[in-house]
Amino acid sequence: MLAPLRGLPLLCVMPLVFAALLACASDDLPPVFRKVAPASVEDLKAIERHVKSMIPRLSRATVAVQVGGATGSGVVVSDDGVVLTAGHVCGITNREVRFTFPDGSTARGKTLGLNHEMDAGMMKISGSGPWPHVEMGDIGQAHLGDWVLTLGHPGGFDSERSVVVRLGRIIRLAQDMVQTDCTLSAGDSGGPLFDMRGKVIGIHSRISDSTAENFHVPITTYRVTWDRLAKSESWGDERIPPRPWFGVRGVDDPDGCKVVSVEQDAPAFKAGLKIGDVVQKINSRIVQDYATLKRFVAEAKPGDELNVEVQRAAREMSIVVKVEANPRRR
């Protein structure tokens, strides 16, 4: 489905964002979405107006789900109550589910199929409906830098607030994964990722301690495995892949990312990184800020060795950090 990316490694945003925004944004959206970045207060207001116009419709179909003692999110994509969510939210097939809509109304249902390899899951609301729902989009039409919205119920349903909405951009695209800079947190898992036309193009999957690790299952996964999911099939490796662990926190610095804390016994600690070090490059790639550092780490796998170039006081030095699997749960 992602023909322009087929055969390429996972991509980082900066080399291609600008061209993608200018060349590929469609004319049916406000002009600001064809710009590299908002250039004025009016541009920001145009984005705000467009987002506000979509939120009521999108929110109505974004449900909080409770499966056993665990909570997550989901999105209704048909009037008869098919709900897309993350595989790890479902857990197993044929489990009882309680759905809570943003207005506080509830419904019952069951978990259907699970694709553990992709962390994709399907549920079904009991009853005839019709249920408020949204349309599925085409991730094959998405590009690096596209504006997107994430909706969800972090922490579970809360009657004192509305559905939580975050605006951001796509920063990585691959056949099996979408990454955005929309911050997700616990309880968002299974919620929808929308394009600027209000169509679902992904489902929130991997959420971690790092706000840079916001990964989504492409909607294509659900389309091509729809029949299997609807038949309550379950397949794939049920183990969640280990998350890479580097072990530092930082702040933006004119020369890169300044380390402000190093976790005890973390890979960075073992390799000798210290508070005050300014990370300038990782594997010869320029670290522009803290977000860049987190993104580079997120792209690594446990066991990978990262050549980290740092400035320590007046000295420039190179430190090899061997990435490990994060011992904490997701």
Side-chain angles (χ1 to χ4, degrees):
M1 294 296 292
L2 298 177
L5 301 178
R6 189 171 294 126
L8 295 177
L10 297 179
L11 301 177
C12 295
V13 61
M14 294 312 296
L16 296 178
V17 163
F18 300 151
L21 281 171
L22 294 174
C24 301
S26 295
D27 291 337
D28 59 341
L29 293 175
V32 64
F33 293 109
R34 296 193 294 277
K35 295 183 178 181
V36 170
S40 65
V41 172
E42 183 52 41
D43 281 347
L44 295 174
K45 289 181 177 180
I47 293 174
E48 182 181 34
R49 287 193 296 269
H50 184 73
V51 170
K52 281 186 173 181
S53 72
M54 295 193 298
I55 294 307
R57 176 174 59 88
L58 306 186
S59 294
R60 285 192 290 270
T62 303
V63 293
V65 301
Q66 183 173 355
V67 184
T71 60
S73 300
V75 60
V76 188
V77 294
S78 68
D79 61 2
D80 63 347
V82 173
V83 176
L84 303 185
T85 188
H88 71 271
V89 173
C90 291
I92 58 176
T93 62
N94 202 37
R95 298 180 73 185
E96 295 284 343
V97 183
R98 175 186 172 93
F99 302 95
T100 304
F101 289 84
D103 63 2
S105 62
T106 61
R108 296 285 180 174
K110 295 273 191 178
T111 61
L112 298 180
L114 293 89
N115 177 351
H116 295 287
E117 293 174 352
M118 295 292 292
D119 195 28
M122 182 180 286
M123 300 173 171
K124 182 71 164 58
I125 303 174
S126 301
S128 58
W131 303 100
H133 63 284
V134 289
E135 186 179 348
M136 293 190 296
D138 181 4
I139 191 65
Q141 301 301 312
H143 303 86
L144 291 170
D146 279 359
W147 292 89
V148 288
L149 287 176
T150 61
L151 274 68
H153 294 271
F157 176 76
D158 186 344
S159 61
E160 298 299 316
R161 69 168 190 218
S162 60
V163 175
V164 179
V165 179
R166 284 132 295 183
L167 173 69
R169 286 179 165 181
I170 295 174
I171 61 175
R172 293 172 69 201
L173 275 171
Q175 293 279 8
D176 60 352
M177 177 272 293
V178 182
Q179 185 180 6
T180 70
D181 59 6
C182 300
T183 301
L184 303 175
S185 57
D188 277 317
S189 290
L193 175 70
F194 290 103
D195 63 18
M196 286 297 105
R197 293 167 186 80
K199 297 182 179 181
V200 182
I201 58 171
I203 297 295
H204 314 330
S205 174
R206 289 172 53 191
I207 298 172
S208 73
D209 298 337
S210 170
T211 56
E213 297 183 29
N214 310 305
F215 296 96
H216 318 264
V217 182
I219 197 65
T220 307
T221 296
Y222 295 86
R223 290 187 180 279
V224 300
T225 61
W226 187 274
D227 290 343
R228 297 184 70 182
L229 292 171
K231 292 176 182 177
S232 296
E233 293 186 28
S234 178
W235 71 97
D237 190 345
E238 298 186 22
R239 295 172 298 175
I240 299 176
R243 183 161 53 86
W245 185 34
F246 191 76
V248 303
R249 292 190 180 275
V251 295
D252 296 351
D253 185 272
D255 296 320
C257 173
K258 185 174 183 178
V259 176
V260 296
S261 68
V262 183
E263 294 182 47
Q264 185 79 20
D265 296 326
F269 177 88
K270 296 174 183 177
L273 258 67
K274 298 182 181 297
I275 294 174
D277 286 350
V278 177
V279 179
Q280 298 178 316
K281 292 183 180 181
I282 294 180
N283 286 353
S284 300
R285 301 164 70 187
I286 296 175
V287 174
Q288 298 174 323
D289 49 28
Y290 184 37
T292 308
L293 183 146
K294 291 188 290 185
R295 187 169 70 247
F296 289 169
V297 172
E299 293 172 4
K301 297 178 181 178
D304 288 353
E305 291 188 345
L306 304 180
N307 185 42
V308 182
E309 298 179 34
V310 305
Q311 180 178 334
R312 180 175 295 171
R315 292 177 54 203
E316 293 187 352
M317 54 195 305
S318 181
I319 299 174
V320 176
V321 179
K322 187 173 183 178
V323 178
E324 299 177 14
N326 196 317
R328 294 189 295 270
R329 295 182 64 182
R330 295 174 186 275

